[in-house]
Amino acid sequence: VGNAFERERQRQQAAPVRVMWTRPELGDLLNIYGRQVAAGQWRDYAMGDGAETARFDIFRRASEMPLYRVEKTPALRKKQGQDVLRAMDGRILRRGHDLAALLRFFERKALKLID
């Protein structure tokens, strides 16, 4: 019984684990961001880490709410997929297990029909 209490006390004193983007994931995010900046669609971004999620927010202007939010939640990896793309109003646009497939949403929006 004493060992269980000691383990619990040590676990509470340990530094919390932060969820962060990996280097390949960050490369994919910044690649699509750079293309959209070059096209004049986006102007700013913000990144955040947390105990449960990592966020990448995309802004049209720095003073506005984010246009899109890409979130990584490892706790949902086995359920719905750890990556989520949200719109400005919080709606889930796409969800999946692969970030590269999730980011193809922006390539689809870049296509325009010309008469």
Side-chain angles (χ1 to χ4, degrees):
V1 175
N3 288 340
F5 289 120
E6 183 65 24
R7 277 194 309 261
E8 183 65 25
R9 186 180 66 76
Q10 288 176 353
R11 189 174 60 101
Q12 288 175 354
Q13 290 178 349
V17 176
R18 308 297 286 180
V19 178
M20 299 290 289
W21 298 103
T22 63
R23 186 177 294 253
E25 291 171 339
L26 192 56
D28 290 342
L29 287 166
L30 292 176
N31 186 15
I32 195 74
Y33 173 75
R35 281 190 262 152
Q36 294 292 337
V37 166
Q41 300 293 322
W42 301 342
R43 295 208 177 147
D44 201 10
Y45 73 92
M47 291 188 332
D49 64 329
E52 296 179 6
T53 63
R55 294 183 353 193
F56 188 87
D57 297 335
I58 301 162
F59 297 89
R60 183 175 300 142
R61 290 182 194 85
S63 62
E64 294 181 347
M65 290 181 54
L67 286 175
Y68 299 103
R69 176 177 291 154
V70 182
E71 296 177 352
K72 173 183 174 181
T73 310
L76 298 176
R77 181 181 296 134
K78 294 183 180 179
K79 294 180 182 179
Q80 306 148 347
Q82 71 175 359
D83 300 317
V84 176
L85 175 64
R86 292 183 185 270
M88 183 187 311
D89 56 358
R91 288 179 298 132
I92 296 176
L93 299 175
R94 291 188 82 173
R95 183 185 299 264
H97 297 282
D98 184 27
L99 182 63
L102 187 86
L103 294 177
R104 282 192 218 119
F105 173 82
F106 298 115
E107 293 174 7
R108 182 173 52 108
K109 289 190 70 111
L111 298 176
K112 294 182 180 179
L113 194 60
I114 298 174
D115 248 352

